[in-house]
Amino acid sequence: IIGDEYRWPHIIPYVLEDSLDLNAKGVILNAFERYRLKTCIDFKPWSGEANYVSVFKGSGCWSSVGNMHVGKQELSIGENCDRIATVQHEFLHALGFWHEQSRSDRDDYVTIVWDRILSGREHNFNIYNDSVSDSLNVPYDYSSVMHYSKTAFQNGTEPTIVTRISDFEDVIGQRMDFSDYDLMKLNRLYNCSSSLSFMDACDFELENICGMIQSSGDTADWQWLSQVLAGPENDHSNMGQCKESGFFMYFNTSSVKEGVTAMLESRILYPKRGFQCLEFYLYNSGSENDQVNIYTRVYTASNPEGVLTLQREIKEIPIGSWQLYYVTLQVTEKFRVAFEGVRGPGSSLGGLSIDDINLSETRCPHHIWRIQNFTQLLGSQNAEIRSPPYYSPKGYAYQIYLNLNSSTNVGIYFHLISGANDDQLQWPCPWQQATMTLLDQNPDIRQRMSNQRSITTDPTMTNDDGSYFWDRPSKVGSVAIFPNGTQFSRGRGYGTSAFITHKRLISREFIKGDDVYILLTVEDISHLNSTAIIPDPVPTSTAIVPTSAAHNACSEVECQNGGVCTVHEDRAECKCPAGEDWWYMGKRCEKRGSTQDTIVIAVASTVTVFAVMLVITLVSVYCTRRKYRKRASSKRAALSLENQHAF
Amino acid sequence: LPVPEMFVKDIDEGTERDIFDINEALGLDLFEGDIRLLMQGKNS
């Protein structure tokens, strides 16, 4: 939308209203993380700013377009809207974006079939001319998260939007993540040149190897190559699709003795948030005992040469394929990341290779489920795949079930299973949010359009027979057997049959080297039940901690007129809503103020002061005149007596 | 083939519902499907 008045500040104040489902709150915070990674837009809990976004559970999913300067600007994430791309879509509206197909040049790219549109819904296919809406010199985007799908407002089964290039017919309407052009437009509109959480991405395509350096303290070097006889045959970035390109870094362990090391260090990096996620692919064509160690070199005033700290030892690297790894870091000072290849015992005919490094100040997924030979699975009938068992940080055991049976959609479900800690855990399982991500394996984290869904365990949810859905699997689950023959109990699954369509699954880089990765995170989000404003993630590992004290303090305080309770120095305080010319005040936001009141007070004060001054002046004049009159009359009396006496 | 109800609960009930489907099913007639106009004509 054209007009600077519609822009928000780069840090948008927000409130997550209590009406929101807990799963929705978690999803919204995850959506904010995508903005922080890929744009210069950040979000902060509202602390009294004139205008803020109030996210609540209304009827449906909707938003206004742009900053309306109304103080509290509502954005609804209602039932079934708690999907990350839906939240991204609604916030793009709030940031000033219309739908992609309402562009002035829309008819050059798609045909709207008017007689297939539901009667009375034709207005949903409006076009804005270029004096109202600016496409910011970005081409029409079929893959925009702001585009409708072909079935929008149809009155039958035939598409209402037909793309002029037929290959895009099933592309429009994606709800995975920002497209490249979405980001280009957003970053142009808000003059973005950097983001809060992105640090570096390197696919080693250029000879400068992204400014990485070979350490001088080691005995061997990493080589910049595009192919190794013993493997890999090609890099991970392009998978051999581009001739004369596709490079990676290689440490030849076959040419060195046991114990020899080669260290490759990144350029200097400057952290902002204090927690990082390092992601990269490794290929091993050497010995099974070769390993890679990840170090950080942190520079401080007392250690200008940098302190080298071992962060992770990676052993048993699979032979003969690229494998994805994540390493969590917590660095608060300027630093480098170092990859150390170590020649282990045993014979080696090849070596270790690294490619597609990404470093960001985000949280790493807790688990990676790698599914190999995926194309074969996708084409086979009765394809049901179950992940290995995993444990959440709280100790709950779980398993993921991927259903490939449908010819159009892929389903994904989360199951609680019996585990070693079940006797110590709370049942029914309360408020654990499972986030399942199908990874788009684009080499650059900023260009990925990963498909993500989250579900949350509600301890009050019941089955048809009255039993608790998330109760202990050994109580409510059914018996199942792992491939190794171990028997266990599996609870009922919760998820979606429409996780992703087959057509989208084979697009992008979801399947790469015939591998698919499902990233899994299960975290306790019960703290989001609190009405306290959620703090930004901080350097400590416990990112979101409104604490039970916050909950207790606020449970005794009721803020009026839409005020929000927050805890400051262990005391509950009400943050009162305010607009441009009005505000609420008082301990409980019980009093209303406005600029009109101020004007009245100022005028009244002025008039009062004027009146008092006038009274004082009049009294002073009266008293002075009276005094001089008295003096004058006594002088006259004395003068007449003198004269009498003289005569 | 749908997964039997006894094994899993499908939050999407077998269909992919987009934003405008959700709003339409609720009987909402929002501008362009999911845009709320705060003041008459201000956004447009």
Side-chain angles (χ1 to χ4, degrees):
Chain A
I1 188 167
I2 292 173
D4 285 344
E5 68 273 25
Y6 292 110
R7 306 290 163 257
W8 284 91
H10 285 103
I11 303 178
I12 300 176
Y14 72 91
V15 168
L16 301 186
E17 300 286 351
D18 289 346
S19 58
L20 285 166
D21 289 338
L22 218 56
N23 188 57
K25 286 187 181 180
V27 168
I28 293 162
L29 295 178
N30 288 340
F32 289 172
E33 283 300 310
R34 283 189 167 178
Y35 275 93
R36 289 183 181 119
L37 179 70
K38 298 182 176 192
T39 78
C40 65
I41 303 298
D42 192 5
F43 298 86
K44 57 166 278 205
W46 175 63
S47 57
E49 289 83 357
N51 298 297
Y52 66 98
V53 177
S54 166
V55 193
F56 78 115
K57 184 179 179 178
S59 176
C61 344
W62 50 259
S63 169
S64 304
V65 176
N67 183 351
M68 304 304 290
H69 296 275
V70 288
K72 175 180 174 175
Q73 180 166 327
E74 290 186 316
L75 186 152
S76 171
I77 297 298
E79 194 83 40
N80 297 317
C81 306
D82 51 352
R83 288 135 206 212
I84 191 163
T86 302
V87 176
Q88 288 171 267
H89 178 110
E90 296 308 334
F91 267 91
L92 275 178
H93 279 317
L95 283 158
F97 287 86
W98 301 104
H99 292 122
E100 184 66 5
Q101 74 283 343
S102 68
R103 284 171 56 142
S104 59
D105 57 354
R106 182 267 309 275
D107 290 338
D108 294 343
Y109 304 96
V110 297
T111 304
I112 305 300
V113 190
W114 295 100
D115 56 4
R116 292 176 187 166
I117 296 170
L118 277 171
S119 175
R121 296 289 187 269
E122 292 83 1
H123 64 85
N124 292 311
F125 296 87
N126 281 352
I127 288 184
Y128 297 99
N129 74 38
D130 52 13
S131 65
V132 175
S133 179
D134 186 351
S135 46
L136 298 160
N137 283 323
V138 176
Y140 193 84
D141 185 11
Y142 295 106
S143 61
S144 171
V145 81
M146 299 306 280
H147 207 297
Y148 284 165
S149 64
K150 63 179 182 181
T151 60
F153 302 99
Q154 62 184 10
N155 57 16
T157 53
E158 294 300 305
T160 51
I161 306 174
V162 177
T163 55
R164 291 194 184 258
I165 302 171
S166 58
D167 283 350
F168 290 113
E169 190 64 9
D170 293 312
V171 171
I172 57 171
Q174 66 88 9
R175 296 290 177 261
M176 298 186 294
D177 200 347
F178 301 119
S179 70
D180 288 351
Y181 283 155
D182 285 331
L183 293 170
M184 191 183 281
K185 273 187 282 191
L186 181 57
N187 289 333
R188 279 187 186 172
L189 190 66
Y190 281 86
N191 299 321
C192 296
S193 56
S194 64
S195 78
L196 176 72
S197 59
F198 175 76
M199 296 196 93
D200 203 6
C202 188
D203 56 9
F204 296 111
E205 289 313 293
L206 300 177
E207 206 168 350
N208 72 350
I209 57 170
C210 312
M212 294 185 86
I213 52 171
Q214 308 271 2
S215 282
S216 51
D218 53 10
T219 43
D221 277 345
W222 291 81
Q223 297 165 271
W224 182 64
L225 297 174
S226 60
Q227 195 178 34
V228 174
L229 199 61
E233 281 178 21
N234 41 54
D235 75 331
H236 187 267
S237 321
N238 302 324
M239 279 289 174
Q241 288 182 340
C242 305
K243 282 186 179 173
E244 309 291 324
S245 73
F247 290 85
F248 54 88
M249 297 304 287
Y250 176 68
F251 170 38
N252 185 354
T253 58
S254 69
S255 64
V256 294
K257 288 179 184 170
E258 185 184 333
V260 169
T261 61
M263 183 100 91
L264 185 69
E265 297 191 35
S266 75
R267 62 183 171 84
I268 293 176
L269 300 152
Y270 297 85
K272 292 176 191 157
R273 303 176 94 181
F275 59 91
Q276 298 83 24
C277 180
L278 173 67
E279 183 202 306
F280 55 92
Y281 286 83
L282 277 182
Y283 189 107
N284 188 7
S285 59
S287 160
E288 285 177 351
N289 298 312
D290 290 347
Q291 71 179 69
V292 171
N293 296 329
I294 305 298
Y295 289 87
T296 52
R297 187 188 292 279
V298 179
Y299 297 90
T300 58
S302 54
N303 289 290
E305 296 301 309
V307 177
L308 208 57
T309 308
L310 178 64
Q311 298 289 347
R312 170 99 176 262
E313 285 182 332
I314 302 171
K315 296 175 179 174
E316 296 171 4
I317 304 162
I319 302 281
S321 66
W322 287 104
Q323 163 78 35
L324 176 65
Y325 289 90
Y326 283 93
V327 178
T328 296
L329 307 173
Q330 288 193 325
V331 187
T332 54
E333 306 283 341
K334 75 173 183 180
F335 71 109
R336 295 178 196 270
V337 175
F339 297 81
E340 184 190 52
V342 183
R343 170 72 163 102
S347 65
S348 166
L349 295 171
L352 295 161
S353 302
I354 301 175
D355 203 2
D356 294 352
I357 300 171
N358 278 288
L359 183 68
S360 60
E361 292 203 277
T362 57
R363 303 281 176 200
C364 283
H366 293 165
H367 297 287
I368 313 167
W369 178 24
R370 180 188 183 191
I371 308 169
Q372 293 176 282
N373 305 318
F374 193 79
T375 319
Q376 194 185 328
L377 285 168
L378 198 59
S380 64
Q381 286 187 329
N382 300 322
E384 295 181 345
I385 325 167
R386 295 187 191 276
S387 75
Y390 299 111
Y391 279 97
S392 76
K394 282 265 175 189
Y396 289 98
Y398 64 91
Q399 188 179 44
I400 304 300
Y401 163 48
L402 203 64
N403 181 13
L404 305 170
N405 278 333
S406 160
S407 57
T408 52
N409 285 317
V410 174
I412 196 165
Y413 300 90
F414 171 84
H415 296 263
L416 283 177
I417 59 171
S418 51
N421 314 305
D422 286 1
D423 288 340
Q424 285 79 50
L425 294 169
Q426 200 179 334
W427 301 102
C429 172
W431 313 120
Q432 302 296 303
Q433 185 170 53
T435 298
M436 303 168 279
T437 308
L438 174 67
L439 181 69
D440 177 8
Q441 298 181 68
N442 187 297
D444 191 329
I445 194 170
R446 294 165 297 181
Q447 290 174 17
R448 288 179 184 165
M449 287 166 65
S450 298
N451 195 58
Q452 187 177 98
R453 287 294 288 268
S454 298
I455 61 105
T456 298
T457 63
D458 177 350
T460 62
M461 189 172 143
T462 52
N463 293 307
D464 292 341
D465 63 0
S467 61
Y468 286 107
F469 193 100
W470 298 110
D471 212 342
R472 193 170 170 164
S474 60
K475 187 176 164 188
V476 295
S478 50
V479 174
I481 298 167
F482 286 125
N484 67 3
T486 311
Q487 193 171 298
F488 68 105
S489 296
R490 183 191 293 133
R492 214 173 145 205
Y494 195 69
T496 171
S497 58
F499 180 53
I500 192 167
T501 63
H502 281 227
K503 281 183 177 162
R504 292 200 200 285
L505 180 64
I506 57 172
S507 72
R508 313 251 352 133
E509 293 179 74
F510 291 117
I511 307 169
K512 199 166 184 180
D514 216 9
D515 286 352
V516 155
Y517 287 97
I518 308 278
L519 310 179
L520 302 166
T521 292
V522 175
E523 55 193 340
D524 184 6
I525 58 163
S526 52
H527 56 270
L528 297 179
N529 256 327
S530 160
T531 53
I533 289 174
I534 304 115
D536 282 332
V538 287
T540 55
S541 59
T542 46
I544 300 168
V545 196
T547 74
S548 57
H551 179 73
N552 293 340
C554 279
S555 63
E556 292 159 11
V557 174
E558 195 182 333
C559 301
Q560 298 169 17
N561 296 311
V564 176
C565 181
T566 63
V567 176
H568 182 62
E569 291 173 354
D570 293 336
R571 280 181 306 147
E573 286 178 359
C574 288
K575 299 272 185 193
C576 307
E580 279 211 319
D581 57 353
W582 58 269
W583 60 87
Y584 283 101
M585 55 194 169
K587 270 194 166 180
R588 303 283 175 267
C589 308
E590 69 279 9
K591 287 181 246 171
R592 191 179 192 282
S594 69
T595 46
Q596 209 178 356
D597 297 344
T598 319
I599 294 164
V600 170
I601 291 165
V603 170
S605 312
T606 312
V607 169
T608 310
V609 169
F610 179 76
V612 170
M613 292 296 289
L614 190 67
V615 168
I616 292 168
T617 311
L618 290 173
V619 169
S620 304
V621 169
Y622 173 76
C623 291
T624 314
R625 282 187 68 183
R626 212 176 140 185
K627 189 178 166 187
Y628 280 103
R629 262 190 202 161
K630 257 189 182 176
R631 216 182 263 177
S633 61
S634 62
K635 267 189 179 175
R636 269 201 303 272
L639 198 69
S640 63
L641 281 173
E642 262 177 37
N643 291 342
Q644 270 183 357
H645 188 73
F647 287 111
Chain B
L1 296 172
V3 187
E5 263 289 299
M6 56 189 290
F7 296 124
V8 296
K9 187 172 172 66
D10 178 7
I11 47 178
D12 289 326
E13 294 163 356
T15 53
E16 193 181 359
R17 282 173 296 179
D18 203 352
I19 297 165
F20 46 80
D21 298 318
I22 293 163
N23 291 346
E24 189 73 16
L26 289 165
L28 301 174
D29 187 12
L30 291 159
F31 191 73
E32 283 198 20
D34 68 337
I35 294 171
R36 192 172 75 146
L37 297 179
L38 277 178
M39 278 166 272
Q40 193 62 40
K42 183 161 184 187
N43 260 330
S44 58

